[in-house]
Amino acid sequence: MPGMNTTTTEFRFEDSDTERLDLISALEFDTLPFGIIRLDTEGRVLAYNRAESLYSGLKQQHVIGRDWFRDIAPCTNTAKFFGKFKEGVAKGIIDTTFDYVFTRFSEPTVRVHLLKSPGEDVWLLIKRL
């Protein structure tokens, strides 16, 4: 599989193996060294890992169940971000990477990887550059 480390089950930011993401344990999810958020197709947060919580300053329990694009990160409600999310959900396929600046922080730039699960969920991976 592209990007997978074949000697371990470690998931890396560059991976696009959504089946592996769907099977990741809660402990693995929470200990990944980059931000990772699981959204439903409406944009509601289903899971939010510790790395993203530490960076954003938002507690995990504060974001679960809320709308990512409206309530949590309204600066992502743009054509570049939300537009790609909506387009991918409509097509049933998302696997796109782009750089972004969350206006709440002004910097640093992050690399965002949006991935659609074989099921209904969308993964949002965020890596600080």
Side-chain angles (χ1 to χ4, degrees):
M1 289 178 234
M4 285 298 289
N5 180 338
T6 56
T7 60
T8 70
T9 59
E10 179 182 335
F11 190 88
R12 298 179 307 174
F13 179 83
E14 297 80 12
D15 292 335
S16 59
D17 181 4
T18 55
E19 289 181 17
R20 168 74 179 103
L21 272 171
D22 286 341
L23 298 174
I24 199 168
S25 74
L27 179 61
E28 285 177 295
F29 176 83
D30 220 29
T31 58
L32 287 171
F34 52 86
I36 186 165
I37 303 158
R38 191 174 194 164
L39 304 173
D40 68 12
T41 56
E42 299 297 315
R44 281 185 302 274
V45 178
L46 302 175
Y48 192 80
N49 82 334
R50 185 173 187 269
E52 190 58 29
S53 178
L54 290 172
Y55 180 74
S56 69
L58 300 173
K59 294 183 179 182
Q60 292 166 310
Q61 63 269 27
H62 175 75
V63 300
I64 302 298
R66 297 183 64 200
D67 186 291
W68 171 261
F69 299 100
R70 186 188 66 229
D71 302 329
I72 304 303
C75 65
T76 63
N77 194 353
T78 63
K80 182 175 184 176
F81 204 124
F82 186 51
K84 289 180 184 197
F85 173 85
K86 286 191 320 185
E87 179 183 335
V89 167
K91 289 181 179 178
I93 296 174
I94 305 173
D95 188 353
T96 187
T97 303
F98 55 94
D99 292 347
Y100 201 78
V101 176
F102 287 93
T103 56
R104 176 179 175 195
F105 302 105
S106 300
E107 55 181 75
T109 300
V110 297
R111 179 142 305 135
V112 175
H113 191 173
L114 279 172
L115 295 161
K116 174 102 172 45
S117 259
E120 291 299 312
D121 300 337
V122 177
W123 294 95
L124 171 56
L125 287 64
I126 303 172
K127 180 179 181 182
R128 275 64 190 172
L129 298 177

PDB file of all heavy atoms in Angstrom, residues 85-112:
ATOM      1  N   PHE A  85     -14.571  19.301   0.606  1.00  0.00           N
ATOM      2  CA  PHE A  85     -15.292  18.335   1.432  1.00  0.00           C
ATOM      3  C   PHE A  85     -16.639  18.000   0.790  1.00  0.00           C
ATOM      4  O   PHE A  85     -16.969  16.835   0.576  1.00  0.00           O
ATOM      5  CB  PHE A  85     -15.481  18.907   2.848  1.00  0.00           C
ATOM      6  CG  PHE A  85     -16.348  18.078   3.738  1.00  0.00           C
ATOM      7  CD1 PHE A  85     -15.812  17.020   4.450  1.00  0.00           C
ATOM      8  CD2 PHE A  85     -17.700  18.364   3.883  1.00  0.00           C
ATOM      9  CE1 PHE A  85     -16.615  16.248   5.283  1.00  0.00           C
ATOM     10  CE2 PHE A  85     -18.508  17.605   4.711  1.00  0.00           C
ATOM     11  CZ  PHE A  85     -17.964  16.543   5.411  1.00  0.00           C
ATOM     12  N   LYS A  86     -17.436  19.030   0.475  1.00  0.00           N
ATOM     13  CA  LYS A  86     -18.765  18.814  -0.122  1.00  0.00           C
ATOM     14  C   LYS A  86     -18.681  18.087  -1.459  1.00  0.00           C
ATOM     15  O   LYS A  86     -19.466  17.186  -1.732  1.00  0.00           O
ATOM     16  CB  LYS A  86     -19.490  20.143  -0.321  1.00  0.00           C
ATOM     17  CG  LYS A  86     -20.009  20.762   0.947  1.00  0.00           C
ATOM     18  CD  LYS A  86     -20.957  21.933   0.728  1.00  0.00           C
ATOM     19  CE  LYS A  86     -20.562  22.854  -0.380  1.00  0.00           C
ATOM     20  NZ  LYS A  86     -21.408  24.033  -0.507  1.00  0.00           N
ATOM     21  N   GLU A  87     -17.733  18.506  -2.280  1.00  0.00           N
ATOM     22  CA  GLU A  87     -17.568  17.877  -3.592  1.00  0.00           C
ATOM     23  C   GLU A  87     -17.220  16.390  -3.447  1.00  0.00           C
ATOM     24  O   GLU A  87     -17.780  15.538  -4.129  1.00  0.00           O
ATOM     25  CB  GLU A  87     -16.462  18.591  -4.367  1.00  0.00           C
ATOM     26  CG  GLU A  87     -16.179  18.005  -5.728  1.00  0.00           C
ATOM     27  CD  GLU A  87     -15.026  18.715  -6.421  1.00  0.00           C
ATOM     28  OE1 GLU A  87     -14.757  19.902  -6.121  1.00  0.00           O
ATOM     29  OE2 GLU A  87     -14.381  18.051  -7.251  1.00  0.00           O
ATOM     30  N   GLY A  88     -16.317  16.090  -2.542  1.00  0.00           N
ATOM     31  CA  GLY A  88     -15.918  14.703  -2.314  1.00  0.00           C
ATOM     32  C   GLY A  88     -17.037  13.862  -1.742  1.00  0.00           C
ATOM     33  O   GLY A  88     -17.223  12.708  -2.133  1.00  0.00           O
ATOM     34  N   VAL A  89     -17.808  14.425  -0.812  1.00  0.00           N
ATOM     35  CA  VAL A  89     -18.941  13.701  -0.246  1.00  0.00           C
ATOM     36  C   VAL A  89     -19.960  13.402  -1.347  1.00  0.00           C
ATOM     37  O   VAL A  89     -20.472  12.288  -1.459  1.00  0.00           O
ATOM     38  CB  VAL A  89     -19.586  14.485   0.922  1.00  0.00           C
ATOM     39  CG1 VAL A  89     -20.939  13.913   1.294  1.00  0.00           C
ATOM     40  CG2 VAL A  89     -18.652  14.498   2.130  1.00  0.00           C
ATOM     41  N   ALA A  90     -20.238  14.379  -2.200  1.00  0.00           N
ATOM     42  CA  ALA A  90     -21.196  14.189  -3.295  1.00  0.00           C
ATOM     43  C   ALA A  90     -20.728  13.105  -4.270  1.00  0.00           C
ATOM     44  O   ALA A  90     -21.527  12.299  -4.740  1.00  0.00           O
ATOM     45  CB  ALA A  90     -21.426  15.508  -4.039  1.00  0.00           C
ATOM     46  N   LYS A  91     -19.432  13.073  -4.564  1.00  0.00           N
ATOM     47  CA  LYS A  91     -18.874  12.078  -5.489  1.00  0.00           C
ATOM     48  C   LYS A  91     -18.662  10.722  -4.826  1.00  0.00           C
ATOM     49  O   LYS A  91     -18.496   9.719  -5.501  1.00  0.00           O
ATOM     50  CB  LYS A  91     -17.534  12.563  -6.045  1.00  0.00           C
ATOM     51  CG  LYS A  91     -17.638  13.696  -7.025  1.00  0.00           C
ATOM     52  CD  LYS A  91     -16.252  14.072  -7.523  1.00  0.00           C
ATOM     53  CE  LYS A  91     -16.306  15.196  -8.523  1.00  0.00           C
ATOM     54  NZ  LYS A  91     -14.945  15.587  -8.952  1.00  0.00           N
ATOM     55  N   GLY A  92     -18.608  10.721  -3.488  1.00  0.00           N
ATOM     56  CA  GLY A  92     -18.331   9.486  -2.764  1.00  0.00           C
ATOM     57  C   GLY A  92     -16.846   9.161  -2.685  1.00  0.00           C
ATOM     58  O   GLY A  92     -16.468   8.094  -2.232  1.00  0.00           O
ATOM     59  N   ILE A  93     -15.991  10.095  -3.108  1.00  0.00           N
ATOM     60  CA  ILE A  93     -14.550   9.884  -3.096  1.00  0.00           C
ATOM     61  C   ILE A  93     -13.857  11.186  -2.702  1.00  0.00           C
ATOM     62  O   ILE A  93     -14.110  12.229  -3.296  1.00  0.00           O
ATOM     63  CB  ILE A  93     -14.024   9.470  -4.485  1.00  0.00           C
ATOM     64  CG1 ILE A  93     -14.608   8.128  -4.896  1.00  0.00           C
ATOM     65  CG2 ILE A  93     -12.513   9.422  -4.506  1.00  0.00           C
ATOM     66  CD1 ILE A  93     -14.248   7.728  -6.309  1.00  0.00           C
ATOM     67  N   ILE A  94     -13.001  11.097  -1.692  1.00  0.00           N
ATOM     68  CA  ILE A  94     -12.146  12.235  -1.335  1.00  0.00           C
ATOM     69  C   ILE A  94     -10.768  11.663  -1.038  1.00  0.00           C
ATOM     70  O   ILE A  94     -10.630  10.749  -0.231  1.00  0.00           O
ATOM     71  CB  ILE A  94     -12.624  12.992  -0.087  1.00  0.00           C
ATOM     72  CG1 ILE A  94     -14.052  13.456  -0.197  1.00  0.00           C
ATOM     73  CG2 ILE A  94     -11.702  14.177   0.196  1.00  0.00           C
ATOM     74  CD1 ILE A  94     -14.596  14.061   1.089  1.00  0.00           C
ATOM     75  N   ASP A  95      -9.772  12.203  -1.665  1.00  0.00           N
ATOM     76  CA  ASP A  95      -8.376  11.926  -1.343  1.00  0.00           C
ATOM     77  C   ASP A  95      -7.593  13.111  -1.893  1.00  0.00           C
ATOM     78  O   ASP A  95      -7.080  13.075  -2.999  1.00  0.00           O
ATOM     79  CB  ASP A  95      -7.900  10.610  -1.956  1.00  0.00           C
ATOM     80  CG  ASP A  95      -6.506  10.222  -1.460  1.00  0.00           C
ATOM     81  OD1 ASP A  95      -5.868  11.038  -0.753  1.00  0.00           O
ATOM     82  OD2 ASP A  95      -6.050   9.115  -1.788  1.00  0.00           O
ATOM     83  N   THR A  96      -7.560  14.175  -1.112  1.00  0.00           N
ATOM     84  CA  THR A  96      -6.920  15.407  -1.565  1.00  0.00           C
ATOM     85  C   THR A  96      -6.077  15.995  -0.444  1.00  0.00           C
ATOM     86  O   THR A  96      -6.433  15.891   0.728  1.00  0.00           O
ATOM     87  CB  THR A  96      -7.971  16.427  -2.062  1.00  0.00           C
ATOM     88  OG1 THR A  96      -7.311  17.535  -2.643  1.00  0.00           O
ATOM     89  CG2 THR A  96      -8.889  16.895  -0.959  1.00  0.00           C
ATOM     90  N   THR A  97      -4.973  16.593  -0.828  1.00  0.00           N
ATOM     91  CA  THR A  97      -4.057  17.221   0.124  1.00  0.00           C
ATOM     92  C   THR A  97      -3.817  18.667  -0.314  1.00  0.00           C
ATOM     93  O   THR A  97      -3.653  18.928  -1.504  1.00  0.00           O
ATOM     94  CB  THR A  97      -2.717  16.460   0.161  1.00  0.00           C
ATOM     95  OG1 THR A  97      -2.977  15.090   0.491  1.00  0.00           O
ATOM     96  CG2 THR A  97      -1.778  17.046   1.198  1.00  0.00           C
ATOM     97  N   PHE A  98      -3.841  19.583   0.648  1.00  0.00           N
ATOM     98  CA  PHE A  98      -3.587  20.992   0.342  1.00  0.00           C
ATOM     99  C   PHE A  98      -3.061  21.687   1.587  1.00  0.00           C
ATOM    100  O   PHE A  98      -3.259  21.225   2.704  1.00  0.00           O
ATOM    101  CB  PHE A  98      -4.866  21.683  -0.176  1.00  0.00           C
ATOM    102  CG  PHE A  98      -6.059  21.553   0.747  1.00  0.00           C
ATOM    103  CD1 PHE A  98      -6.342  22.538   1.688  1.00  0.00           C
ATOM    104  CD2 PHE A  98      -6.896  20.447   0.678  1.00  0.00           C
ATOM    105  CE1 PHE A  98      -7.439  22.431   2.541  1.00  0.00           C
ATOM    106  CE2 PHE A  98      -7.992  20.323   1.527  1.00  0.00           C
ATOM    107  CZ  PHE A  98      -8.265  21.320   2.460  1.00  0.00           C
ATOM    108  N   ASP A  99      -2.390  22.795   1.377  1.00  0.00           N
ATOM    109  CA  ASP A  99      -1.878  23.603   2.487  1.00  0.00           C
ATOM    110  C   ASP A  99      -2.931  24.642   2.863  1.00  0.00           C
ATOM    111  O   ASP A  99      -3.670  25.127   1.997  1.00  0.00           O
ATOM    112  CB  ASP A  99      -0.568  24.278   2.110  1.00  0.00           C
ATOM    113  CG  ASP A  99       0.564  23.268   1.934  1.00  0.00           C
ATOM    114  OD1 ASP A  99       0.394  22.104   2.327  1.00  0.00           O
ATOM    115  OD2 ASP A  99       1.620  23.665   1.413  1.00  0.00           O
ATOM    116  N   TYR A 100      -2.982  24.968   4.155  1.00  0.00           N
ATOM    117  CA  TYR A 100      -4.020  25.862   4.648  1.00  0.00           C
ATOM    118  C   TYR A 100      -3.495  26.624   5.860  1.00  0.00           C
ATOM    119  O   TYR A 100      -2.628  26.140   6.580  1.00  0.00           O
ATOM    120  CB  TYR A 100      -5.261  25.036   5.041  1.00  0.00           C
ATOM    121  CG  TYR A 100      -6.532  25.828   5.079  1.00  0.00           C
ATOM    122  CD1 TYR A 100      -7.198  26.160   3.908  1.00  0.00           C
ATOM    123  CD2 TYR A 100      -7.072  26.254   6.275  1.00  0.00           C
ATOM    124  CE1 TYR A 100      -8.369  26.897   3.927  1.00  0.00           C
ATOM    125  CE2 TYR A 100      -8.252  26.994   6.310  1.00  0.00           C
ATOM    126  CZ  TYR A 100      -8.884  27.310   5.131  1.00  0.00           C
ATOM    127  OH  TYR A 100     -10.050  28.041   5.154  1.00  0.00           O
ATOM    128  N   VAL A 101      -4.041  27.798   6.091  1.00  0.00           N
ATOM    129  CA  VAL A 101      -3.742  28.568   7.301  1.00  0.00           C
ATOM    130  C   VAL A 101      -5.058  28.790   8.035  1.00  0.00           C
ATOM    131  O   VAL A 101      -5.987  29.382   7.493  1.00  0.00           O
ATOM    132  CB  VAL A 101      -3.092  29.932   6.965  1.00  0.00           C
ATOM    133  CG1 VAL A 101      -2.896  30.749   8.238  1.00  0.00           C
ATOM    134  CG2 VAL A 101      -1.769  29.738   6.250  1.00  0.00           C
ATOM    135  N   PHE A 102      -5.133  28.273   9.251  1.00  0.00           N
ATOM    136  CA  PHE A 102      -6.304  28.517  10.084  1.00  0.00           C
ATOM    137  C   PHE A 102      -6.224  29.957  10.573  1.00  0.00           C
ATOM    138  O   PHE A 102      -5.275  30.327  11.259  1.00  0.00           O
ATOM    139  CB  PHE A 102      -6.342  27.561  11.274  1.00  0.00           C
ATOM    140  CG  PHE A 102      -6.703  26.151  10.912  1.00  0.00           C
ATOM    141  CD1 PHE A 102      -5.725  25.211  10.631  1.00  0.00           C
ATOM    142  CD2 PHE A 102      -8.027  25.763  10.840  1.00  0.00           C
ATOM    143  CE1 PHE A 102      -6.049  23.917  10.298  1.00  0.00           C
ATOM    144  CE2 PHE A 102      -8.375  24.474  10.501  1.00  0.00           C
ATOM    145  CZ  PHE A 102      -7.378  23.544  10.231  1.00  0.00           C
ATOM    146  N   THR A 103      -7.182  30.776  10.217  1.00  0.00           N
ATOM    147  CA  THR A 103      -7.102  32.203  10.545  1.00  0.00           C
ATOM    148  C   THR A 103      -7.128  32.460  12.046  1.00  0.00           C
ATOM    149  O   THR A 103      -6.664  33.502  12.490  1.00  0.00           O
ATOM    150  CB  THR A 103      -8.225  32.998   9.850  1.00  0.00           C
ATOM    151  OG1 THR A 103      -9.482  32.434  10.214  1.00  0.00           O
ATOM    152  CG2 THR A 103      -8.039  32.973   8.355  1.00  0.00           C
ATOM    153  N   ARG A 104      -7.621  31.530  12.809  1.00  0.00           N
ATOM    154  CA  ARG A 104      -7.615  31.686  14.264  1.00  0.00           C
ATOM    155  C   ARG A 104      -6.188  31.793  14.785  1.00  0.00           C
ATOM    156  O   ARG A 104      -5.922  32.450  15.778  1.00  0.00           O
ATOM    157  CB  ARG A 104      -8.334  30.498  14.903  1.00  0.00           C
ATOM    158  CG  ARG A 104      -8.301  30.515  16.404  1.00  0.00           C
ATOM    159  CD  ARG A 104      -9.050  29.342  16.980  1.00  0.00           C
ATOM    160  NE  ARG A 104      -8.890  29.319  18.414  1.00  0.00           N
ATOM    161  CZ  ARG A 104      -9.174  28.293  19.171  1.00  0.00           C
ATOM    162  NH1 ARG A 104      -9.640  27.210  18.635  1.00  0.00           N
ATOM    163  NH2 ARG A 104      -9.005  28.348  20.462  1.00  0.00           N
ATOM    164  N   PHE A 105      -5.264  31.108  14.109  1.00  0.00           N
ATOM    165  CA  PHE A 105      -3.883  31.084  14.560  1.00  0.00           C
ATOM    166  C   PHE A 105      -2.958  31.917  13.676  1.00  0.00           C
ATOM    167  O   PHE A 105      -1.847  32.194  14.071  1.00  0.00           O
ATOM    168  CB  PHE A 105      -3.370  29.636  14.600  1.00  0.00           C
ATOM    169  CG  PHE A 105      -4.187  28.760  15.498  1.00  0.00           C
ATOM    170  CD1 PHE A 105      -5.073  27.847  14.976  1.00  0.00           C
ATOM    171  CD2 PHE A 105      -4.081  28.868  16.871  1.00  0.00           C
ATOM    172  CE1 PHE A 105      -5.838  27.035  15.801  1.00  0.00           C
ATOM    173  CE2 PHE A 105      -4.839  28.071  17.703  1.00  0.00           C
ATOM    174  CZ  PHE A 105      -5.724  27.152  17.169  1.00  0.00           C
ATOM    175  N   SER A 106      -3.386  32.274  12.487  1.00  0.00           N
ATOM    176  CA  SER A 106      -2.613  33.016  11.499  1.00  0.00           C
ATOM    177  C   SER A 106      -1.413  32.236  10.964  1.00  0.00           C
ATOM    178  O   SER A 106      -1.034  32.404   9.832  1.00  0.00           O
ATOM    179  CB  SER A 106      -2.129  34.356  12.032  1.00  0.00           C
ATOM    180  OG  SER A 106      -3.222  35.141  12.404  1.00  0.00           O
ATOM    181  N   GLU A 107      -0.823  31.454  11.752  1.00  0.00           N
ATOM    182  CA  GLU A 107       0.273  30.602  11.338  1.00  0.00           C
ATOM    183  C   GLU A 107       0.375  29.484  12.343  1.00  0.00           C
ATOM    184  O   GLU A 107      -0.196  29.575  13.414  1.00  0.00           O
ATOM    185  CB  GLU A 107       1.587  31.368  11.221  1.00  0.00           C
ATOM    186  CG  GLU A 107       1.985  32.103  12.465  1.00  0.00           C
ATOM    187  CD  GLU A 107       3.284  32.864  12.273  1.00  0.00           C
ATOM    188  OE1 GLU A 107       3.279  33.899  11.609  1.00  0.00           O
ATOM    189  OE2 GLU A 107       4.280  32.378  12.799  1.00  0.00           O
ATOM    190  N   PRO A 108       1.016  28.447  12.150  1.00  0.00           N
ATOM    191  CA  PRO A 108       1.723  28.137  10.919  1.00  0.00           C
ATOM    192  C   PRO A 108       0.779  27.563   9.875  1.00  0.00           C
ATOM    193  O   PRO A 108      -0.360  27.216  10.167  1.00  0.00           O
ATOM    194  CB  PRO A 108       2.728  27.070  11.366  1.00  0.00           C
ATOM    195  CG  PRO A 108       2.004  26.323  12.439  1.00  0.00           C
ATOM    196  CD  PRO A 108       1.166  27.382  13.153  1.00  0.00           C
ATOM    197  N   THR A 109       1.307  27.460   8.697  1.00  0.00           N
ATOM    198  CA  THR A 109       0.578  26.771   7.645  1.00  0.00           C
ATOM    199  C   THR A 109       0.526  25.293   8.008  1.00  0.00           C
ATOM    200  O   THR A 109       1.460  24.746   8.575  1.00  0.00           O
ATOM    201  CB  THR A 109       1.300  26.958   6.290  1.00  0.00           C
ATOM    202  OG1 THR A 109       1.343  28.351   6.010  1.00  0.00           O
ATOM    203  CG2 THR A 109       0.595  26.222   5.172  1.00  0.00           C
ATOM    204  N   VAL A 110      -0.579  24.678   7.689  1.00  0.00           N
ATOM    205  CA  VAL A 110      -0.727  23.246   7.917  1.00  0.00           C
ATOM    206  C   VAL A 110      -0.937  22.542   6.579  1.00  0.00           C
ATOM    207  O   VAL A 110      -1.350  23.161   5.600  1.00  0.00           O
ATOM    208  CB  VAL A 110      -1.913  22.932   8.859  1.00  0.00           C
ATOM    209  CG1 VAL A 110      -1.694  23.537  10.235  1.00  0.00           C
ATOM    210  CG2 VAL A 110      -3.227  23.397   8.271  1.00  0.00           C
ATOM    211  N   ARG A 111      -0.650  21.283   6.553  1.00  0.00           N
ATOM    212  CA  ARG A 111      -0.990  20.454   5.405  1.00  0.00           C
ATOM    213  C   ARG A 111      -2.208  19.649   5.822  1.00  0.00           C
ATOM    214  O   ARG A 111      -2.233  19.026   6.878  1.00  0.00           O
ATOM    215  CB  ARG A 111       0.166  19.548   5.021  1.00  0.00           C
ATOM    216  CG  ARG A 111      -0.177  18.657   3.842  1.00  0.00           C
ATOM    217  CD  ARG A 111       0.960  18.436   2.879  1.00  0.00           C
ATOM    218  NE  ARG A 111       1.510  19.680   2.388  1.00  0.00           N
ATOM    219  CZ  ARG A 111       2.830  19.935   2.302  1.00  0.00           C
ATOM    220  NH1 ARG A 111       3.699  19.038   2.669  1.00  0.00           N
ATOM    221  NH2 ARG A 111       3.259  21.095   1.844  1.00  0.00           N
ATOM    222  N   VAL A 112      -3.232  19.710   4.991  1.00  0.00           N
ATOM    223  CA  VAL A 112      -4.499  19.020   5.254  1.00  0.00           C
ATOM    224  C   VAL A 112      -4.633  17.877   4.262  1.00  0.00           C
ATOM    225  O   VAL A 112      -4.371  18.050   3.074  1.00  0.00           O
ATOM    226  CB  VAL A 112      -5.685  19.996   5.092  1.00  0.00           C
ATOM    227  CG1 VAL A 112      -7.015  19.270   5.246  1.00  0.00           C
ATOM    228  CG2 VAL A 112      -5.578  21.144   6.087  1.00  0.00           C
TER     229      VAL A 112
END
